[in-house]
Amino acid sequence: MTSDTAPSGAAPRGSRRRWAPAPFLAPGMVVLSLFVAVPILLITSYAFFTRGRFGGVQFTFTLDNFARLADPLYLKVIATSVGIGLIVTLLALLLGYPTALVITRLPAKWRTIALVAVLLPFWTNFLIRTYAWILLLNNAGWINQGLQAVGIIDEPLTLLYTQPAVVVGLLYMYLPLMVLPLYSSLSAQDAQLAEAATNLGSSPWRVFRTVTFPLSIPGVLTGCVFVFVPAMGNFVIPELLGGGKTVLIGNLVRDQFLKARDWPFGAAIALVLTIMLLLLLFAQQRASRRVTEGPAERKVTTRA
Amino acid sequence: MRNSRLIKLPFWLTYLFLYLPILVVVIMSFNASANLFVWRGFSLEWYPAVFADEAITTGLRNTLIVASLVTLLATALGTLLAVGIHRYTRGGLVRAFAIAPALLPDLLLAIGLLSLFSLLGVTLGLHSVVIAHVTFAMAFVTAIVLARLASLDPNLEEASQDLGAGAMRTFMKVTLPQLAPGIVAGALLSFTLSLDEFVMAFFTAAPTTPTLPIAIYSMVRFGVTPEVNALATMLLFVSVLTVIGAQRLTRVTDSL
């Protein structure tokens, strides 16, 4: 772009260059500003205002909305959300890590197929995927039918509308988001490192513990954030699979907006959730950077 | 390196876990019985029944209108934005702003848009759903087209401009044709995303204009009928075809 010959002499060079980006950037930026930036600013400011007498927002400054979150009732919702989020993330890691590892070691052709196969459910309607679990977990569902047919149980187990059902539903929903970053991180690893360790006499477990796993920590962190964050904001799965008995942060926000019509409080909860998310993302970025640019490497880069 | 049995077990468990529920829905969609849990032989009766259900057909019509408009708008806006970012910006700030809607919680965007529409006195309807869907579909298009742009040879654009073509002409004749696979992939993804999106639509649709996911949500909440299995199977089929199409056009897994 250094050689600008500006063939049409009508416009001076400078102004031509200055306005050139406008047709490309302007439409998108207008949409983003109006329908992303403004709504987020609006929610942020609503969180500091008072609920109107008939719902809506009365523009009187207050910090009450945040103070209300300290109520044991809401603290319990936050604790449940964090707890369920952690369990789902841990299960996703336990299932997703070996899966990603096996995929990276498959022959090239099978690798693509295995990866697409992990992603496909993620691209299918999320309500239908949740609904499928109603079919499976119901008292008369396939799991109970199967267990009764084999003779493990006599009476159907109550699986649907329980907290474990919510965990399974969330795990099902977000497992692909764990496998994907783990796969990118593991497949980017230099296979020679693990080979070298093996040649030097390390057992497979030791190779994994000292080489493969430490190098994949950025992928692990990304995957954990990708699963944990949306799991806490989901309000549909707790309702459909938990029967409304398990209330997560997402349910709370939805209810404040659509049922209680207390928008300022709903905005405050959503804001706290988002800030938690941003802090997690920030921590994950920092931690990943620390792993990838270890002290030894940093020394090399400063010298160069 | 060989895979020990220890890690092969969770590998197969993952696929069993991912596909068992889908398999159940597909199998039961061919069930002759109206009972959702008992198999009574093969039948195709629920497939035509889907199109006789008014809640489903209304939802489907609304969803197709929204998804088509969203695809057009998001693809055009996202492509232009990606080219603009690639060509004219240095820092990652604009880029981050453009991709942010794909990363932010949908719930936050949804209540934000609801608040904005309410403040401006905009009545909710299909138009508000279109706006809501465009914001995040655009982010996916931008990301995919940016990935494609990064792999292009910048010399071609420069050559075109050196030969006297203006920014627009260069874009239309040189950049756009090379971007085509990425743009089509972005369009396909926009369509699938809009087709399936629930949370944003839940907050920005009017009760009189529900989209298909909203219709499914109320059906699942208030007692499921066997048609849902047939509908689900058809939707699975459409989503899978679209995603495989997009996947073949560009290596989406690399760019996201």
Side-chain angles (χ1 to χ4, degrees):
Chain A
M1 293 264 213
T2 41
S3 54
D4 188 346
T5 47
S8 60
R13 289 172 127 211
S15 82
R16 225 190 115 113
R17 180 72 72 77
R18 196 175 323 134
W19 291 107
F24 295 103
L25 290 172
M29 293 309 274
V30 167
V31 170
L32 285 170
S33 311
L34 214 58
F35 299 121
V36 177
V38 170
I40 290 171
L41 288 175
L42 210 55
I43 287 297
T44 311
S45 62
Y46 276 13
F48 294 95
F49 289 132
T50 316
R51 177 182 190 268
R53 196 181 298 167
F54 307 105
V57 181
Q58 193 186 321
F59 294 92
T60 324
F61 180 85
T62 178
L63 287 172
D64 279 0
N65 299 315
F66 295 99
R68 267 175 77 188
L69 277 170
D71 187 307
L73 190 73
Y74 300 122
L75 284 182
K76 195 178 155 240
V77 172
I78 295 174
T80 312
S81 303
V82 172
I84 286 191
L86 286 176
I87 294 171
V88 170
T89 308
L90 185 71
L91 290 174
L93 189 63
L94 287 177
L95 216 50
Y97 200 102
T99 306
L101 197 59
V102 173
I103 295 177
T104 52
R105 293 171 181 178
L106 289 173
K109 191 183 80 181
W110 287 104
R111 211 180 305 150
T112 317
I113 293 173
L115 206 58
V116 172
V118 167
L119 278 174
L120 271 187
F122 193 72
W123 286 109
T124 56
N125 189 289
F126 121 89
L127 286 161
I128 285 168
R129 282 185 290 151
T130 307
Y131 156 70
W133 280 100
I134 297 182
L135 288 188
L136 278 168
L137 296 173
N138 194 286
N139 278 359
W142 281 31
I143 292 176
N144 270 317
Q145 279 187 30
L147 291 176
Q148 279 173 303
V150 187
I152 297 175
I153 51 166
D154 297 324
E155 290 291 305
L157 301 170
T158 309
L159 303 170
L160 196 58
Y161 306 136
T162 61
Q163 204 147 304
V166 177
V167 170
V168 168
L170 291 170
L171 176 65
Y172 186 65
M173 208 56 57
Y174 302 119
L175 181 60
L177 290 183
M178 177 63 89
V179 177
L180 210 58
L182 283 175
Y183 169 78
S184 349
S185 156
L186 284 166
S187 63
Q189 230 175 71
D190 190 347
Q192 287 183 333
L193 290 171
E195 247 168 65
T198 311
N199 291 342
L200 291 169
S202 293
S203 66
W205 170 239
R206 199 185 153 96
V207 173
F208 176 76
R209 209 160 33 90
T210 55
V211 181
T212 313
F213 187 76
L215 285 171
S216 69
I217 285 175
V220 172
L221 294 172
T222 311
C224 287
V225 172
F226 276 13
V227 173
F228 183 73
V229 166
M232 286 202 310
N234 192 301
F235 65 86
V236 181
I237 294 169
E239 181 158 316
L240 295 183
L241 299 180
K245 281 182 281 178
T246 307
V247 180
L248 303 189
I249 298 180
N251 301 82
L252 208 54
V253 175
R254 192 267 320 258
D255 290 347
Q256 292 308 317
F257 264 81
L258 300 183
K259 287 183 189 160
R261 299 208 44 88
D262 190 344
W263 290 19
F265 186 46
I269 306 166
L271 203 61
V272 169
L273 179 69
T274 309
I275 289 168
M276 279 164 65
L277 173 170
L278 291 176
L279 287 177
L280 272 175
L281 277 176
F282 182 70
Q284 170 240 327
Q285 294 270 317
R286 276 194 64 143
S288 304
R289 210 170 299 147
R290 200 171 306 150
V291 173
T292 44
E293 305 168 8
E297 264 179 71
R298 205 174 295 147
K299 232 176 271 165
V300 176
T301 44
T302 43
R303 205 181 298 151
Chain B
M1 196 179 287
R2 259 188 47 236
N3 292 310
S4 69
R5 219 172 281 157
L6 194 69
I7 69 169
K8 270 193 175 154
L9 180 70
F11 170 80
W12 289 114
L13 261 178
T14 295
Y15 288 94
L16 178 72
F17 180 60
L18 287 178
Y19 284 92
L20 181 68
I22 292 176
L23 200 68
V24 172
V25 172
V26 173
I27 291 176
M28 292 319 256
S29 77
F30 299 113
N31 188 5
S33 159
N35 186 318
L36 284 165
F37 306 103
V38 186
W39 178 258
R40 290 253 188 275
F42 183 87
S43 159
L44 286 173
E45 63 180 304
W46 305 116
Y47 283 82
V50 168
F51 299 98
D53 187 312
E54 206 186 323
I56 293 178
T57 47
T58 312
L60 183 64
R61 197 186 55 231
N62 288 336
T63 286
L64 288 177
I65 294 170
V66 170
S68 314
L69 287 171
V70 169
T71 304
L72 277 174
L73 289 168
T75 309
L77 290 167
T79 304
L80 284 178
L81 195 56
V83 173
I85 289 171
H86 181 75
R87 207 184 274 173
Y88 301 109
T89 65
R90 291 177 129 255
L93 208 63
V94 184
R95 185 186 295 244
F97 185 37
I99 311 286
L103 304 171
L104 282 167
D106 44 8
L107 190 59
L108 179 79
L109 285 177
I111 58 171
L113 279 166
L114 175 63
S115 305
L116 177 71
F117 293 142
S118 151
L119 189 74
L120 297 178
V122 177
T123 37
L124 300 181
L126 291 185
H127 53 280
S128 46
V129 183
V130 170
I131 291 174
H133 283 187
V134 164
T135 56
F136 69 86
M138 197 170 96
F140 282 90
V141 175
T142 309
I144 292 170
V145 175
L146 270 172
R148 176 97 192 155
L149 276 162
S151 67
L152 295 186
D153 184 355
N155 289 327
L156 289 170
E157 279 198 353
E158 252 177 62
S160 158
Q161 297 203 321
D162 285 349
L163 291 167
M168 254 308 152
R169 201 176 152 90
T170 301
F171 176 68
M172 297 304 285
K173 296 275 179 191
V174 179
T175 319
L176 205 55
Q178 295 186 83
L179 289 181
I183 295 170
V184 176
L188 287 173
L189 285 187
S190 301
F191 190 79
T192 320
L193 285 168
S194 174
L195 197 70
D196 283 348
E197 204 286 333
F198 170 71
V199 174
M200 305 271 272
F202 183 67
F203 281 91
T204 57
T208 47
T209 55
T211 62
L212 191 57
I214 296 176
I216 298 174
Y217 174 70
S218 18
M219 289 181 116
V220 174
R221 267 183 81 194
F222 302 113
V224 189
T225 54
E227 293 101 73
V228 173
N229 289 327
L231 175 70
T233 305
M234 287 189 275
L235 276 179
L236 288 172
F237 190 67
V238 172
S239 297
V240 166
L241 277 188
T242 327
V243 171
I244 289 178
Q247 178 79 27
R248 289 186 77 110
L249 285 162
T250 179
R251 306 196 53 195
V252 180
T253 43
D254 292 346
S255 59
L256 288 182

